[in-house]
Amino acid sequence: MKLSEGVEAAIHCAALLAGLAPGKTLPAAALAEYHGVSASYLVKHLNRLAAAGVLVSVPGPHGGYRLGRSAKRISLLDIVLAVEGPEPAFRCAEIRQRSPGALEPDAYQKPCGIKVAMLKAEQAWRQALRAERLADVIAGYEAEADPRALAFGCAFLQRHQRPGDAAAMSASPDPQ
Amino acid sequence: MKLSEGVEAAIHCAALLAGLAPGKTLPAAALAEYHGVSASYLVKHLNRLAAAGVLVSVPGPHGGYRLGRSAKRISLLDIVLAVEGPEPAFRCAEIRQRSPGALEPDAYQKPCGIKVAMLKAEQAWRQALRAERLADVIAGYEAEADPRALAFGCAFLQRHQRPGDAAAMSASPDPQ
DNA sequence: TATATCTTGGATATTTTTTATCTTCAATAG
DNA sequence: CTATTGAAGATAAAAAATATCCAAGATATA
């Protein structure tokens, strides 16, 4: 029962990227530096997030990463699933069929009750993650964090942000 | 986001042990054979369950494992926590303090909002697991499973059960 | 004392996670 | 229009965690 460390970094990255001006991007190296994590590892998570549509990656000297849609429409579940993969945490290996008294496979049409119960509980977890939107997390952060930390974040963004792709601005006309 | 493989075996073991007559025990070797898993590895999970009080281990030639309390009072959460440990799946490494612009530690008294949101979702998962009682899972199993599989399970228990410890019978006067 | 069981610790193998290195791509300068 | 540069993307290697197995010790029964 362990979430990979990358999930924490991924969420923090998304939260930071939400502060970018529309269309601008931030390179992976800057994200890694800001969070004090290995850049080569972070890139893997960023790519998965991009593949899932949570982020958009822009190649080239002006490139980097930015959010794929508004922070209001990104849930923590989107991020967790992108990084960890869609498979449920509980994987039923059908050990009920490995018994010495196992029947023919047809006798196990109905799903294993243990699997059903475990997956049902997991749905509750996913539902709760789905309800947590990135925008809300950021709002809470801005309300509670030390003003100096906030200011540093803004300055950092100003310093490292890249123009991104000009065409992208018109394609993502939903700020915040 | 992955539950260790032992969780599935642990739940199946607990479900099988619930079918024992009060006071009787089943050796680890029988549990491993019934589920087609490695005995030496299963023992580690059984011992964790015993340490948590979910199971009781009885040494000696008449020994083996049995439930530590009635199946009604054992939740899937009890089993999952016993096997996986009590730590939450999301472990906040406080990477917000690893930023190049980090402040003194005192500035981070308030908990990280991301951590709070993730732990809140995890509480929903645990709550759902807590609501799933072993007795309910077994009832569902008995209602849906193939009668032949049920019969084999009973016969297997009859064949392999051990007398257990005589003193234990009076100590656990809550059947089912 | 002999046996059947749990208990404990370590050795080994497999998988997953993390880090490092190299290749490809697109924008700009000359 | 080619070369350079700063970035993403892909591949390979190192480290860590997990799963499995094996063997010697402890405990209780007969």
Side-chain angles (χ1 to χ4, degrees), chain B residues 110-166:
Chain B
K110 295 189 182 174
C112 173
I114 291 172
K115 172 177 156 190
V116 171
M118 291 299 291
L119 258 44
K120 185 175 148 196
E122 208 165 323
Q123 283 303 325
W125 184 55
R126 294 196 173 195
Q127 189 60 47
L129 277 180
R130 194 177 290 120
E132 296 280 352
R133 306 221 192 93
L134 184 59
D136 300 331
V137 172
I138 294 168
Y141 170 70
E142 289 175 346
E144 295 214 337
D146 190 299
R148 290 170 295 166
L150 238 63
F152 179 84
C154 287
F156 188 92
L157 283 178
Q158 290 298 325
R159 195 142 32 92
H160 290 94
Q161 72 181 2
R162 296 280 176 280
D165 180 3

Side-chain angles (χ1 to χ4, degrees), chain B:
Chain B
M1 178 177 53
K2 240 180 43 182
L3 244 43
S4 95
E5 184 154 342
V7 172
E8 183 184 7
I11 300 175
H12 274 96
C13 284
L16 184 61
L17 289 175
L20 280 172
K24 307 269 185 182
T25 70
L26 204 64
L31 284 165
E33 182 199 342
Y34 187 86
H35 294 111
V37 300
S38 148
S40 33
Y41 186 47
L42 185 62
V43 163
K44 294 209 160 150
H45 297 311
L46 292 175
N47 283 340
R48 287 196 196 143
L49 289 167
V54 175
L55 301 186
V56 168
S57 69
V58 178
H62 285 186
Y65 293 88
R66 67 159 183 272
L67 292 189
R69 54 182 182 270
S70 86
K72 273 185 196 163
R73 305 178 51 206
I74 295 175
S75 72
L76 292 190
L77 182 65
D78 294 328
I79 298 175
V80 168
L81 288 187
V83 173
E84 294 277 328
E87 306 84 23
F90 180 83
R91 295 145 305 158
C92 178
E94 286 289 332
I95 71 176
R96 61 177 177 167
Q97 298 190 37
R98 300 217 295 247
S99 160
L103 308 170
E104 70 281 359
D106 286 351
Y108 300 97
Q109 296 286 350
K110 295 189 182 174
C112 173
I114 291 172
K115 172 177 156 190
V116 171
M118 291 299 291
L119 258 44
K120 185 175 148 196
E122 208 165 323
Q123 283 303 325
W125 184 55
R126 294 196 173 195
Q127 189 60 47
L129 277 180
R130 194 177 290 120
E132 296 280 352
R133 306 221 192 93
L134 184 59
D136 300 331
V137 172
I138 294 168
Y141 170 70
E142 289 175 346
E144 295 214 337
D146 190 299
R148 290 170 295 166
L150 238 63
F152 179 84
C154 287
F156 188 92
L157 283 178
Q158 290 298 325
R159 195 142 32 92
H160 290 94
Q161 72 181 2
R162 296 280 176 280
D165 180 3
M169 279 223 43
S170 54
S172 74
D174 62 354
Q176 163 67 321

Side-chain angles (χ1 to χ4, degrees), chain A residues 63-120:
Chain A
Y65 293 90
R66 66 160 182 272
L67 291 189
R69 54 182 182 269
S70 85
K72 273 185 194 164
R73 304 178 53 206
I74 295 176
S75 71
L76 292 190
L77 181 65
D78 295 327
I79 298 175
V80 169
L81 287 187
V83 172
E84 294 277 329
E87 306 85 23
F90 180 81
R91 295 145 305 160
C92 178
E94 287 288 331
I95 71 175
R96 59 177 179 169
Q97 298 189 36
R98 298 216 297 247
S99 159
L103 309 169
E104 70 282 359
D106 286 352
Y108 300 97
Q109 296 287 349
K110 297 189 181 173
C112 174
I114 290 172
K115 172 177 153 189
V116 171
M118 291 298 291
L119 258 45
K120 186 175 147 195

Side-chain angles (χ1 to χ4, degrees), chain A residues 102-143:
Chain A
L103 309 169
E104 70 282 359
D106 286 352
Y108 300 97
Q109 296 287 349
K110 297 189 181 173
C112 174
I114 290 172
K115 172 177 153 189
V116 171
M118 291 298 291
L119 258 45
K120 186 175 147 195
E122 208 164 324
Q123 282 304 324
W125 183 57
R126 293 196 174 194
Q127 189 59 47
L129 279 180
R130 195 177 289 122
E132 296 279 353
R133 306 222 193 90
L134 184 58
D136 300 332
V137 172
I138 294 168
Y141 170 71
E142 289 176 346

